[in-house]
């Protein structure tokens, strides 16, 4: 599979996690649909304006602006994509437990636009077992969508540097999905670590705690 054979959608693509990743994907030859509900940020990006502080961000945005990247607020664009990367933030409650409802709400919003053969990549903080639960939700809806948990572990403002330097942890529900996520993330970093789904979810929790 070469880079240009897969189209990637990034949900929450105008945020601190989604935007740097989207730009690196485009830089490395992928076609990207950046989806975000914040219309103001989408308008800024279309004009070549970076919506927050990110080292090297505005330069890279301008570099790829004429490339294979589309900015939109519409989830309907997902139907033409092969890989969907979900970068929705996970808030915490008063006991610092992650609130998973925003993630499940977004999954429900995406379901009408998903199709068999796609891959859903989760990068949010999740309880161990939640990636498998999301996979079950999609299966119960009659969708043959591979699910992958690939936790983000970057520092805000240093994402473009750390995405290339820090090992990327990947996991998936099946071998085919694992091969696809290995391919897309190998374009951003040469150091890939393959784990089981629950192991990856625990790594994300340990990483958050260490920070």
């Amino acid at each position: 599979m070469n880079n240009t054979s897969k189209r990637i959608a990034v949900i929450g693509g105008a945020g601190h996690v989604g935007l740097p990743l989207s730009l690196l994907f485009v830089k490395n030859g992928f076609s990207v649909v950046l989806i975000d509900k914040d219309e103001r940020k989408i308008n800024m990006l279309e004009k070549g304006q970076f919506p927050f502080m990110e080292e090297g961000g505005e330069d890279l945005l301008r570099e790829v602006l004429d490339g294979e990247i589309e900015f939109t607020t519409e989830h309907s664009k997902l139907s033409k994509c092969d890989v969907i990367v979900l970068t929705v933030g996970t808030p915490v409650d008063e006991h610092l437990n992650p609130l998973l409802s925003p993630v499940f709400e977004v999954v429900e919003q995406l379901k009408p636009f998903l199709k068999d053969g796609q891959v859903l990549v989760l990068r949010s903080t999740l309880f161990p077992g939640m990636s498998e639960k999301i996979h079950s939700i999609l299966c119960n809806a009659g969708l043959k969508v591979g699910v992958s948990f690939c936790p983000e572990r970057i520092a805000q403002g240093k994402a473009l540097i750390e995405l290339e330097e820090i090992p990327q942890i990947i996991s998936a529900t099946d071998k085919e999905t694992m091969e696809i996520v290995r391919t897309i993330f190998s374009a951003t970093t040469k150091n890939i670590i393959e784990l089981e789904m629950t192991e990856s979810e625990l790594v994300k929790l340990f990483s958050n705690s260490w920070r």
Side-chain angles (χ1 to χ4, degrees), residues 30-48:
F30 290 99
S31 175
V32 173
V33 179
L34 187 155
I35 303 173
D36 201 286
K37 64 181 180 181
D38 192 327
E39 192 170 350
R40 181 187 65 86
K41 288 183 178 179
I42 292 294
N43 291 335
M44 290 180 67
L45 290 169
E46 289 176 332
K47 296 174 183 176

Side-chain angles (χ1 to χ4, degrees), residues 129-150:
M130 288 299 99
S131 297
E132 291 285 1
K133 183 172 179 60
I134 290 171
H135 185 234
S136 296
I137 290 172
L138 297 177
C139 288
N140 291 337
L143 290 165
K144 296 178 181 178
V145 174
V147 174
S148 169
F149 185 72
C150 302

Side-chain angles (χ1 to χ4, degrees), residues 47-117:
K47 296 174 183 176
Q49 301 171 353
F50 217 85
F52 50 84
M53 293 296 296
E54 176 66 47
E55 189 172 335
E58 194 150 305
D59 289 340
L60 182 55
L61 173 61
R62 290 172 179 170
E63 178 185 328
V64 305
L65 204 53
D66 293 329
E68 293 292 322
I69 187 166
E70 178 181 356
F71 306 101
T72 182
T73 59
E74 300 296 326
H75 283 156
S76 59
K77 300 286 185 176
L78 294 177
S79 60
K80 296 182 179 180
C81 295
D82 305 290
V83 179
I84 298 100
V85 181
L86 187 58
T87 66
V88 176
T90 310
V92 295
D93 62 19
E94 66 274 18
H95 304 296
L96 301 182
N97 294 314
L99 295 172
L100 301 177
S101 55
V103 177
F104 287 109
E105 287 170 5
V106 172
V107 171
E108 288 298 320
Q109 292 170 10
L110 302 186
K111 273 167 54 176
F113 309 108
L114 298 179
K115 62 184 180 181
D116 291 355

Side-chain angles (χ1 to χ4, degrees), residues 173-205:
T173 50
D174 56 85
K175 291 181 179 179
E176 184 178 354
T177 299
M178 184 74 91
E179 181 180 347
I180 291 172
V181 296
R182 186 191 307 117
T183 299
I184 65 171
F185 284 107
S186 291
T188 65
T189 181
K190 295 180 179 178
N191 198 345
I192 301 291
I193 300 173
E194 297 183 16
L195 297 177
E196 297 296 326
M197 199 89 80
T198 302
E199 291 174 327
S200 293
E201 291 165 330
L202 284 169
V203 166
K204 175 62 173 167
L205 294 178

Side-chain angles (χ1 to χ4, degrees), residues 1-18:
M1 180 186 77
N2 58 49
N3 291 3
T4 55
S5 70
K6 294 292 181 183
R7 197 175 195 207
I8 303 173
V10 181
I11 308 294
H16 288 274
V17 175

